[in-house]
Every structure is written in structure tokens, then in C-alpha cells.
Amino acid sequence: MLKPVALLPIILLSCTFTNMYSQNEGNTVIGPNQLLFPGWSVKTNVLYDATTTFNIGAEMRLSDYLTLDMSVNCNPWTFSDNRKFKHVLVQPELRYWIYEPFNGHFLGVNLLYMHYNAGNIPFGSLKHNRYQGDAFSVGFSYGYQWILSRHWSLEATLGLGYMYLDYNRYDCETCGSKTGEGHKNYFGPTKAGVSLIYVIR
């Protein structure tokens, strides 16, 4: 399973993108792009927060039009009557910004990996079964980011794509017996977010 700590080198590497300088009359000054474009940002998806899912994301600038976004999500909870949607999810996304990074419209292409353990939820066969397995996805997204202040922004995004899920099926009891296994192909929403962002400049 992918571990969140494995993302630390990517976040640290992004610091190198903030040192942009130009020469003006023999003196070193801050280049205009450093003021317009931050090097990276950290964020949390408040939609996932509302479902008791811990999540954190980081985004780093690659060029004048490209950024790399990475989010990690974890839901460790088991509720009353053994209701659960436990999962660990990692979703990297390459983004193309129409105007400039971290401002306005963007288009993205993303991947997803999720390990899940869900059951006794009032939706479809999850009412009477518990499913445990892995999911893999590739998809596209559209989003928009609003600048609120020098260091704070708000982002909304929605993604669609293809997902492959494999699973083992169990009775809903805490230690229910295995009743089957299989896989499922899914086409539809694979990403949704309203994120609060802290921008590093």
C-alpha cells in the first residue's frame, strides 16, 4: 500500500521552484513571475472533511502553465452497527492552467489508487454486505480556483473517469464469513472537491 510519507520528497522538491530571479541594472531582484505565481500550495478538501475523511493535498508549479497536484485521503472509522467506509486513497493529477497557475480555470488528467473496506451502508448491496479490496482509476477533471488573499485561495473541481475495482465480499457482521469475490468496471465521477488552500510564496 502507498504510504503518505512517500510523498515527502515530492513536497520538499517543490521548494526549488520558488527561487526565481532576474537581473536589473546589475542588481539581483525578485522576478515578476515570483510575485504572480507561487511555487506550491497545501490544501484540504472540505467535502471530504464533512464525511469524516482526513485529507491533505499539495500542489507544485512545474512551468508557466503546468502544476502537479497530489492528494492523500484516509477514513479509519467504524460507526455504530459496524457501518464503515474505511479507505486510504492517493490521487495525483497533472493540471494545465488556462490563464496562469493557481488562478482561474484548469484542466487535469489524474490517476487514483484506493484500498477500501466498506459495508452496512444504506446504498445498494452495501446494505447487507461488506466489501474489501482495491480500486484503480484514470480520469479527467475541470476546476476553477479563486484567489481570496495573498496566501489563501478556494478551489472547486469535478472529475470523470474509468475505475476498476476488485473485491472480496463478506457478511455484514464484524467477523462475517466470506461470501464471494469479483471485480467491477465503473464509468462516472471519480473526483469532487471544494478545497481551502494555503499558498506558499
Side-chain angles (χ1 to χ4, degrees):
M1 180 185 298
L2 294 174
K3 297 181 180 299
V5 70
L7 302 177
L8 185 57
I10 295 176
I11 296 174
L12 293 177
L13 180 63
S14 67
C15 294
T16 63
F17 288 88
T18 62
N19 297 321
M20 301 169 60
Y21 299 93
S22 66
Q23 297 294 323
N24 183 18
E25 296 180 354
N27 297 318
T28 300
V29 298
I30 297 175
N33 284 347
Q34 187 177 5
L35 296 176
L36 293 175
F37 306 138
W40 60 295
S41 64
V42 293
K43 63 185 71 177
T44 185
N45 187 337
V46 296
L47 293 184
Y48 291 175
D49 292 332
T51 65
T52 69
T53 298
F54 298 123
N55 71 92
I56 188 169
E59 186 170 3
M60 55 185 276
R61 179 185 172 211
L62 302 179
S63 72
D64 288 347
Y65 293 98
L66 294 176
T67 61
L68 178 64
D69 180 82
M70 177 74 74
S71 63
V72 179
N73 307 271
C74 178
N75 189 314
W77 311 110
T78 297
F79 300 98
S80 59
D81 299 323
N82 199 35
R83 294 192 304 272
K84 66 182 71 175
F85 186 50
K86 293 184 175 182
H87 65 275
V88 174
L89 183 155
V90 179
Q91 191 169 40
E93 179 172 82
L94 182 66
R95 293 177 169 181
Y96 175 81
W97 294 80
I98 305 301
Y99 178 55
E100 62 185 19
F102 304 98
N103 182 23
H105 303 274
F106 64 84
L107 303 173
V109 58
N110 56 70
L111 302 173
L112 176 151
Y113 167 74
M114 176 173 63
H115 179 74
Y116 62 91
N117 181 4
N120 207 17
I121 300 173
F123 301 104
S125 61
L126 286 170
K127 292 180 181 179
H128 308 293
N129 300 280
R130 179 173 65 86
Y131 291 86
Q132 185 170 346
D134 299 284
F136 307 87
S137 171
V138 59
F140 301 92
S141 68
Y142 164 76
Y144 192 92
Q145 194 167 127
W146 294 268
I147 296 175
L148 303 179
S149 67
R150 177 174 173 81
H151 289 289
W152 292 98
S153 296
L154 186 68
E155 174 186 292
T157 182
L158 178 67
L160 303 174
Y162 162 76
M163 182 180 292
Y164 173 88
L165 304 96
D166 61 44
Y167 62 84
N168 292 320
R169 185 175 62 245
Y170 301 86
D171 288 332
C172 262
E173 289 83 359
T174 302
C175 297
S177 59
K178 182 176 177 179
T179 60
E181 60 184 49
H183 67 272
K184 181 178 178 63
N185 297 299
Y186 164 83
F187 294 90
T190 55
K191 182 173 188 174
V194 175
S195 298
L196 184 62
I197 303 168
Y198 182 78
V199 179
I200 310 298
R201 294 186 183 274

